[in-house]
Amino acid sequence: MDRIERMKELVELLNKASESYYAKDVEIMSNFEYDRLYDELTALEEETGMTLAGSPTLRVGYEAVDELPKARHEQPMLSLGKTKEREELRDWLGDKKGILSWKLDGLTVVLTYEKGELVKAVTRGNGEVGEVVTGNARVFKNVPLKIPYKGKLILRGEAVISYADFEKINDQIEAVEDKYKNPRNLCSGSVRQLNNEITAKRNVNFIVYSLIQAENSPENPVEVYNSRKGEFDFVASQGFTVVPYKEVTADNILDAVAWFEEEIKHYEFPSDGLVLTYDDIAYSMSLGRTAKFPRHSIAFKWADEVRETVLKEIEWSPSRTGLINPVAIFDPVELEGTTVSRASVHNISILRSLKLGIGDHITVYKANMIIPQIAENLTDSDSVEIPKTCPACGHPTEVRAANDAESLYCTNPECAAKKIKSFTLFVSRDAMNMDGLSEATLEKFIGHGFIHSYVDLFHLERYKDIIVEMEGFGEKSYQNLMNSIETARTTNLHRVLYGLGIAGIGLANAKLLCRHFDYDLDKIRHATVEEFLEIDGLGEVLANACAAYFSDREKMEGLDALLKELTLEKPQTDANAQILSGMSFVITGSLERFSNRNELKERIEAKGGKVTGSVTGKTTCLINNDMTSSSSKNKKAKELNVRIISEADFLEEYMKGEN
């Protein structure tokens, strides 16, 4: 293939990858591969003296999408020249003083203030035109809406989401394929929301890295700075968060880079390198720009620590949505100070592009020094077979294409992996209380075929040799898990009923069922809808749900098998202590004598009472320390003539003065 044809191919590949990454938040190639192809294209452009129309080397970012208004930047935003050589930074700086700071990996946003108020926020877009996200910027976690300075102020910075918030938000997303690949993707989607209520919940931070304009006039005096540090001090004085930086010279810049290299292991926000800029503003502006880059700054990208290893297997990990994710397992290697032995391959498209085969020699690295990735396959045997059956249930799989990427799915609607939520509920604290079986661990065990039913949870010792070798486990963790499972064998009936996941039957209703039928499971199993309706507060929908569950032959066979693993203890109840039997309470507002509402709720239920979430005509009283509150529950109680009493009055009147 001649050089021009190769350039055309690279332009198409890179643009397709960029569109997927920036506009669709779908990764169809690794960052490592993208950088390699980009560098190849750059080299070919230099060799040929030719730049093709549409080349990504001419662009700066994604094109603005149609859903948000667009605005032109007052100053075009250019990409920076980059290097991976530390000594090149020192040579570039020469005898000048510089500012070395994080190159944050989020979404660039430009803020404009007038008369001390935020009036406009625009994303980077393509460098000349961006998307207007003013409403979203107003709910960024740390952006001041009003500032002391009253002149026109324009700031450029990076919207970022911390690793901690990224993990927290991802944990709340059930579908694996809907989870965000990294904080940058999450941040991009959060900043570009049409509804800023969603943005507000994402804890987006804005970190300033450049002062673009500070209008100076007699009415709005501002000291004229000729240093980047001076600008940062001024910006910080207005209440903004400034990117962490170090003042450097040629003598200490290598030490400063080493400091950042160590600090990135603990830094809360994602960074894909550093930026070095001249401190002397007049000097840096006098340098002008090249055809592509300004000369006042240069980006430093971490030279990825790459290690060669051998691919041992591809682990296929099923999820609750049916998606089966390929995970590469390889001989352990040391990367960035930790031992790594596995890396996500993301989807079938990436798996095929890497041409993986068991026994292949591969190189691995950590993207942004954090996330393990495969860099290259040195063998290219391309022999990994896509499984035709699901490892969790044995049913057929199929490859489906979406957003330019192919992924593998299980076709069985009853696959155990799709029931991960039911297993998570069963082992939860209020159910069987099996400590050590997080949702992530359950997914691994189901993916390996260890768990098909609740009974299997009590026989994980069959897989000890495999479990102790799994990431995050070892002999001690395994033994702790076994001890927890053994303890869970002795339990109460209401915990079991709650853990079964009967539609609408939470812990409180499970206790109601048990108390009504005197903890006799046989009576519960053979009760009719009419008998369930006799339970105060159960209602027709829940009564039908209970009757339907206990009349399901397959479910009852599973329950019989489960009961063989358990010893059920009947709680000792004192009939005289059930002083709240038949009463219904609602709790709202803050409490003074209990640490939370659940603690008071448990105390009421222990006395035979019931706690509900809404006020009805059957409510005995509403417990609210703020009896004059205009809350919806207080209003409803007044409408229905339901008493509103304080926590102290409730304890005195209904609990015989208990504290």
Side-chain angles (χ1 to χ4, degrees), residues 429 587-603 625 647 651 659:
R429 184 185 62 183
I587 309 168
T588 191
S590 59
L591 299 176
E592 297 170 356
R593 304 192 187 188
F594 294 88
S595 59
N596 53 50
R597 295 179 196 174
N598 275 340
E599 188 180 342
L600 175 54
K601 178 182 176 182
E602 289 175 3
R603 185 78 68 87
N625 284 326
E647 178 186 359
L651 291 172
N659 198 347

Side-chain angles (χ1 to χ4, degrees), residues 53 107 141 149 151 196 266 332 429 447-448 477 480 498 600 609 647:
L107 187 71
K141 185 177 179 180
Y149 177 67
N196 73 348
H266 318 288
R429 184 185 62 183
H448 277 79
S477 297
N480 288 341
Y498 171 60
L600 175 54
E647 178 186 359

Side-chain angles (χ1 to χ4, degrees), residues 74-75 110-114 147 149 151-156 210-216 222 228 231 234-235:
E74 297 193 22
Q75 292 184 19
V110 179
L111 301 186
T112 301
Y113 286 77
E114 293 179 358
I147 59 175
Y149 177 67
K152 185 175 183 179
L153 182 69
I154 303 178
L155 302 171
R156 190 177 294 164
S210 181
L211 189 159
I212 304 302
Q213 179 184 337
E215 185 182 66
N216 195 28
V222 59
R228 298 292 180 192
E231 288 186 339
F234 166 69
V235 170

Side-chain angles (χ1 to χ4, degrees), residues 473-490:
F473 271 90
E475 286 286 349
K476 185 175 181 181
S477 297
Y478 168 81
Q479 196 54 55
N480 288 341
L481 175 60
M482 291 300 106
N483 293 342
S484 175
I485 290 172
E486 194 59 33
T487 301
R489 288 181 179 275
T490 303

Side-chain angles (χ1 to χ4, degrees), residues 140-401:
F140 287 175
K141 185 177 179 180
N142 63 336
V143 163
L145 300 182
K146 292 187 177 182
I147 59 175
Y149 177 67
K150 303 305 178 186
K152 185 175 183 179
L153 182 69
I154 303 178
L155 302 171
R156 190 177 294 164
E158 200 81 354
V160 288
I161 289 177
S162 70
Y163 285 112
D165 285 325
F166 165 72
E167 291 172 1
K168 181 179 178 181
I169 292 167
N170 249 0
D171 286 344
Q172 297 168 356
I173 300 174
E174 293 189 5
V176 173
E177 67 267 34
D178 291 338
K179 290 179 183 286
Y180 292 91
K181 295 293 187 296
N182 51 55
R184 192 217 67 83
N185 289 89
L186 173 58
C187 188
S188 176
S190 302
V191 173
R192 299 160 69 200
Q193 283 289 332
L194 297 180
N195 180 356
N196 73 348
E197 182 180 358
I198 297 174
T199 307
K201 294 176 181 177
R202 299 285 176 81
N203 280 343
V204 179
N205 283 262
F206 181 73
I207 301 179
V208 178
Y209 62 75
S210 181
L211 189 159
I212 304 302
Q213 179 184 337
E215 185 182 66
N216 195 28
S217 68
E219 296 80 19
N220 301 295
V222 59
E223 184 178 346
V224 178
Y225 297 106
N226 189 41
S227 80
R228 298 292 180 192
K229 182 182 183 306
E231 288 186 339
F232 280 167
D233 290 343
F234 166 69
V235 170
S237 73
Q238 300 299 307
F240 295 93
T241 302
V242 172
V243 63
Y245 66 90
K246 282 186 173 294
E247 295 179 85
V248 293
T249 64
D251 293 333
N252 70 354
I253 189 168
L254 296 184
D255 290 338
V257 172
W259 181 88
F260 279 105
E261 183 178 27
E262 182 63 28
E263 187 65 16
I264 196 172
K265 300 173 185 176
H266 318 288
Y267 191 47
E268 62 179 321
F269 297 112
S271 165
D272 56 357
L274 304 172
V275 173
L276 176 62
T277 188
Y278 293 113
D279 185 57
D280 188 320
I281 296 173
Y283 173 76
S284 64
M285 292 297 102
S286 71
L287 298 174
R289 48 171 287 187
T290 68
K292 299 176 183 178
F293 310 119
R295 289 193 172 98
H296 57 66
S297 302
I298 186 171
F300 170 79
K301 295 197 72 174
W302 302 110
D304 298 305
E305 184 177 358
V306 179
R307 292 283 183 270
E308 184 177 335
T309 183
V310 176
L311 182 66
K312 307 302 289 184
E313 66 171 303
I314 294 293
E315 177 184 288
W316 297 91
S317 179
S319 71
R320 69 180 68 89
T321 63
L323 180 69
I324 304 176
N325 296 293
V327 179
I329 312 298
F330 43 81
D331 286 337
V333 291
E334 288 292 319
L335 277 178
E336 313 293 354
T338 61
T339 301
V340 177
S341 60
R342 55 194 291 123
S344 173
V345 189
H346 301 300
N347 53 50
I348 299 298
S349 295
I350 291 179
L351 178 83
R352 286 173 172 162
S353 70
L354 287 167
K355 298 182 179 179
L356 294 173
I358 306 306
D360 280 359
H361 286 255
I362 60 174
T363 58
V364 293
Y365 72 107
K366 281 188 177 180
N368 291 352
M369 304 176 75
I370 301 291
I371 305 169
Q373 301 278 298
I374 295 177
E376 288 184 276
N377 183 359
L378 305 177
T379 310
D380 284 353
S381 69
D382 201 14
S383 59
V384 167
E385 293 187 9
I386 310 301
K388 292 183 172 55
T389 58
C390 172
C393 69
H395 280 66
T397 61
E398 68 179 18
V399 176
R400 301 174 190 168

Side-chain angles (χ1 to χ4, degrees), residues 545-566:
C546 289
Y549 186 91
F550 290 111
S551 63
D552 187 308
R553 183 177 61 82
E554 190 174 334
K555 286 185 170 62
M556 290 306 96
E557 288 176 355
L559 180 56
D560 286 335
L562 174 62
L563 291 172
K564 293 177 182 178
E565 306 290 338
L566 304 175

